[in-house]
Amino acid sequence: MIGDCGFGRSIVRGLRAAWQRDTARRQEVQERLLENPGRAEGRVADWSVDRIVEYLRRDSRRTMRFADVESCELTGDERHLMSLLEDMRDQQAQQAEMKAQWLVKPAKIAGLLERMRPLADIANRHDMTDAELHRQSARAIMDAYQHGAV
């Protein structure tokens, strides 16, 4: 059961269920997305999640690692995707392209970003609190590392 969760968590669960081809969990995520962010945007978000996963399945540099749908912890690949999505949401195109290079080859970056754009646009209008917390903790670790504290 998905329970009450934010838009960011719904995206992560949707990516996981789509990657694992878990139709029952995909249906739960679809229903949740129709509630938050709403019917029209939820359909677009769900469609975008499917397009992202199929693109990564076909064109990623390596096999992606996604956790179980109900897992609380994000994998490195999930954190990276959510961080990329946040950069797109925040109109930081250069950072988004750099992050996309870790996922797909340079010739495939535009295709991945195109598939993520609808989610980024919706995320710009809705709370992604779950993803924001993970992004902040990942940045804190990187900042500590860069400043020699780790």
Side-chain angles (χ1 to χ4, degrees):
M1 173 92 170
I2 259 183
D4 189 28
C5 61
F7 181 59
R9 182 58 70 178
S10 293
I11 292 169
V12 170
R13 288 179 175 176
L15 292 168
R16 289 171 173 176
W19 185 263
Q20 296 163 7
R21 293 187 169 112
D22 185 335
T23 55
R25 296 290 172 90
R26 281 293 293 131
Q27 182 64 37
E28 289 176 8
V29 170
Q30 289 169 345
E31 291 171 11
R32 180 67 184 137
L33 287 170
L34 293 178
E35 294 172 20
N36 179 24
R39 191 165 196 75
E41 288 180 321
R43 285 184 182 169
V44 172
D46 183 59
W47 169 75
S48 185
V49 163
D50 281 339
R51 290 185 73 215
I52 292 165
V53 168
E54 287 310 312
Y55 197 78
L56 290 173
R57 193 181 305 280
R58 184 183 62 242
D59 294 317
S60 65
R61 287 183 178 267
R62 58 184 168 65
T63 302
M64 303 290 292
R65 193 171 149 267
F66 289 90
D68 180 64
V69 176
E70 295 300 323
S71 177
C72 294
E73 298 295 318
L74 294 177
T75 67
D77 290 332
E78 292 166 347
R79 276 192 305 275
H80 196 82
L81 275 168
M82 294 307 287
S83 180
L84 169 56
L85 181 62
E86 289 167 351
D87 285 343
M88 293 180 70
R89 175 196 67 190
D90 296 340
Q91 305 294 317
Q92 300 194 12
Q94 188 175 17
Q95 283 183 318
E97 288 177 13
M98 288 173 43
K99 287 179 182 172
Q101 283 184 2
W102 287 96
L103 301 172
V104 295
K105 293 180 180 176
K108 301 295 183 175
I109 290 172
L112 178 60
L113 298 180
E114 173 189 324
R115 284 156 179 78
M116 293 186 80
R117 173 59 47 209
L119 268 183
D121 291 343
I122 294 168
N124 198 27
R125 295 183 296 274
H126 296 278
D127 183 25
M128 286 189 20
T129 306
D130 296 307
E132 187 70 22
L133 291 173
H134 291 291
R135 181 178 63 84
Q136 288 174 357
S137 65
R139 283 203 177 143
I141 292 169
M142 290 305 294
D143 286 344
Y145 174 78
Q146 289 173 348
H147 295 293
V150 176

